[in-house]
Amino acid sequence: MTQARRRVPYTLGPDKLEAEPLKAAKILSAKEEFRLTSEMEKLYAELLPTAESEERRERLVGKLEKLLQDRWPGQNIKVSVFGSTGNRLGTRDSDVDVCISTDYRDIEHVCSIADLVARNGMERVVCVSSAKVPIVKIWDPEMQVACDMNVNNPIALENTELIRSYVAIDDRFRPLAMIVKYWARRRILNDAG
């Protein structure tokens, strides 16, 4: 499946690419720089999530937390957003990545979560229990949002907080990062594999 998404499979051949001769970078004229900046600002504005899309994601997180707490009452279950939605690099089309934090170890068997959400109206439920970080993938037809859930993965929350700090420190970071993400996704270079 990974190779099906790539433009060039890894097994294309043993020949190495020829070295690209180094060329001096062209300096943009003021007109070219203005045009490029304008196009990037326009793209950034188009990528930004709408207030409505952010509100749907927040409602989904609350819905999932309530569902989990109702199923396992008294187990101190917290649902936290991580990834692009949590670090402010998400777009209007981004899914929601959530980490379920709890001391209740039975929830770490993520297929029990998959079963719970499937019985409560979620669609396209997939339990990936054999992954390095087991996840449950869902689609909420009410909120029209996709979501990936994992359990007790604090490093994901820490990484999200780090990127969120970068976003807060420099106003240039968010537009640049979102445009680079958009560029990589369009060229199928954003796959972790």
Side-chain angles (χ1 to χ4, degrees):
M1 184 171 151
T2 302
Q3 284 189 347
R5 293 179 54 196
R6 298 191 183 283
R7 291 185 180 188
V8 179
Y10 290 127
T11 58
L12 189 59
D15 300 333
K16 291 185 176 183
L17 295 174
E18 294 179 23
E20 183 83 21
L22 294 176
K23 299 176 188 172
K26 177 185 173 193
I27 297 175
L28 298 177
S29 69
K31 183 178 179 179
E32 291 170 323
E33 185 174 338
F34 177 79
R35 182 173 164 239
L36 179 60
T37 300
S38 298
E39 288 177 8
M40 290 178 73
E41 287 172 347
K42 181 181 174 199
L43 175 60
Y44 172 63
E46 291 170 3
L47 292 173
L48 285 173
T50 63
E52 185 269 337
S53 68
E54 288 184 328
E55 191 264 334
R56 282 187 291 120
R57 286 178 185 78
E58 286 177 25
R59 285 181 33 218
L60 174 61
V61 172
K63 180 179 178 178
L64 290 172
E65 191 165 68
K66 181 176 180 348
L67 193 64
L68 292 164
Q69 289 173 350
D70 288 351
R71 171 60 182 90
W72 292 287
Q75 297 302 328
N76 192 24
I77 297 170
K78 180 169 175 28
V79 177
S80 304
V81 175
F82 73 95
S84 63
T85 299
N87 63 27
R88 301 197 60 233
L89 296 180
T91 65
R92 63 187 68 202
D93 301 325
S94 294
D95 67 351
V96 179
D97 297 308
V98 297
C99 177
I100 301 163
S101 302
T102 183
D103 295 332
Y104 185 59
R105 295 291 174 214
D106 288 354
I107 292 180
E108 290 181 352
H109 304 288
V110 293
C111 291
S112 62
I113 297 170
D115 182 55
L116 173 68
V117 295
R119 285 186 282 116
N120 283 275
M122 301 299 169
E123 297 177 354
R124 303 181 212 159
V125 178
V126 177
C127 179
V128 188
S129 59
S130 61
K132 183 178 176 184
V133 177
I135 62 169
V136 175
K137 297 174 147 307
I138 65 168
W139 170 258
D140 185 327
E142 178 189 359
M143 306 298 174
Q144 296 289 296
V145 176
C147 178
D148 293 346
M149 297 179 278
N150 67 48
V151 179
N152 292 334
N153 184 18
I155 192 75
L157 300 174
E158 291 168 11
N159 288 340
T160 298
E161 193 55 39
L162 176 65
I163 300 300
R164 183 190 271 273
S165 297
Y166 295 158
V167 169
I169 288 170
D170 192 328
D171 291 340
R172 299 171 296 179
F173 184 85
R174 187 178 187 205
L176 176 63
M178 288 179 70
I179 289 168
V180 169
K181 280 181 57 178
Y182 174 81
W183 174 87
R185 185 173 54 243
R186 299 271 302 183
R187 284 154 182 80
I188 316 171
L189 298 174
N190 63 331
D191 181 22

